[in-house]
Amino acid sequence: LTVAISNLNETIEDIRRYIFDLRGEMPQEDLETGLRNILDEFRVNTLLETELVVSGRDSRRLDAERRQHILQIAREALTNVARHAYAQEVGVRLEYGPDALRVRVTDDGIGLSTVPSRDGHGLRNIRERTRLLNGSLDIDTRLGEGLTLTLSVPYQQRITSNVQSCTE
C-alpha cells in the first residue's frame, strides 16, 4: 500500500509539472542560463554534486519554444536521475556545434543492463519532445556504470517546398 501511494503521488506530481509546462511562459533566458537554473534547483533538492560544462559559441539563437523543449528534456532527465539512478554526481554538457547543439546529461549511478523498451512517462515525454525538435536521442548505459543521455538538435528545421513555378 505504501508503494502504491508513493507511485500515485509521483504520478500526480508528473501530471502537475506537465500541465504547468504546457501553460508556463516561454523561457526568455539562453540555454546556458536556463540549464544553470535547472541544475541549481536540482542541486538544492537532491544535494547531489552537479557540473555544467559549455563548449562552443551560441551563434544561432533558438526560438523560445525550442529552448523550452530542450530545457524540459534536461529537467526530465535530471528527475529520472534523482528517482532511479542512486547517483552521487551529475554532469550536464551543452555543446554548440556547427549544425546542431547537443545536451548531454551524465550520472555515476547504478545504470541499467539495457535501455527500457517500455517507456515510463518521463522517457516518453523526452522522446516526444525530441521528435518535435526534429532531433535525435541517444541513451548509453551499463549496469553499475551510470547513464548518459545525449540530445542532438539541429539549428534549422528542414522545410521542403513542393511549389512549382507556373507560366501562362
Side-chain angles (χ1 to χ4, degrees), residues 59-101:
S59 60
R60 302 181 189 183
R61 290 193 64 97
L62 299 172
D63 63 53
E65 182 178 0
R66 289 170 63 82
R67 285 195 315 270
Q68 175 155 349
H69 284 307
I70 293 166
L71 293 173
Q72 291 307 323
I73 288 170
R75 185 184 309 274
E76 191 65 54
L78 291 169
T79 298
N80 286 343
V81 170
R83 286 189 180 160
H84 308 295
Y86 300 101
Q88 300 298 312
E89 296 180 3
V90 178
V92 175
R93 183 173 186 93
L94 173 61
E95 301 171 6
Y96 293 102
D99 298 319
L101 68 86

Side-chain angles (χ1 to χ4, degrees), residues 1-91:
L1 187 57
T2 303
V3 171
I5 290 171
S6 176
N7 288 340
L8 184 57
N9 285 335
E10 285 181 13
T11 301
I12 290 169
E13 183 181 317
D14 285 344
I15 291 169
R16 284 182 180 151
R17 188 173 60 246
Y18 182 74
I19 291 169
F20 175 77
D21 291 344
L22 290 176
R23 295 187 330 205
E25 292 182 19
M26 294 292 179
Q28 298 305 312
E29 69 260 350
D30 60 25
L31 280 177
E32 182 177 349
T33 303
L35 288 171
R36 195 170 305 284
N37 291 340
I38 289 170
L39 269 178
D40 288 345
E41 178 185 325
F42 177 81
R43 184 177 32 254
V44 166
N45 291 331
T46 64
L47 302 176
L48 294 176
E49 293 294 321
T50 63
E51 178 183 37
L52 175 64
V53 175
V54 179
S55 63
R57 261 185 55 234
D58 182 9
S59 60
R60 302 181 189 183
R61 290 193 64 97
L62 299 172
D63 63 53
E65 182 178 0
R66 289 170 63 82
R67 285 195 315 270
Q68 175 155 349
H69 284 307
I70 293 166
L71 293 173
Q72 291 307 323
I73 288 170
R75 185 184 309 274
E76 191 65 54
L78 291 169
T79 298
N80 286 343
V81 170
R83 286 189 180 160
H84 308 295
Y86 300 101
Q88 300 298 312
E89 296 180 3
V90 178

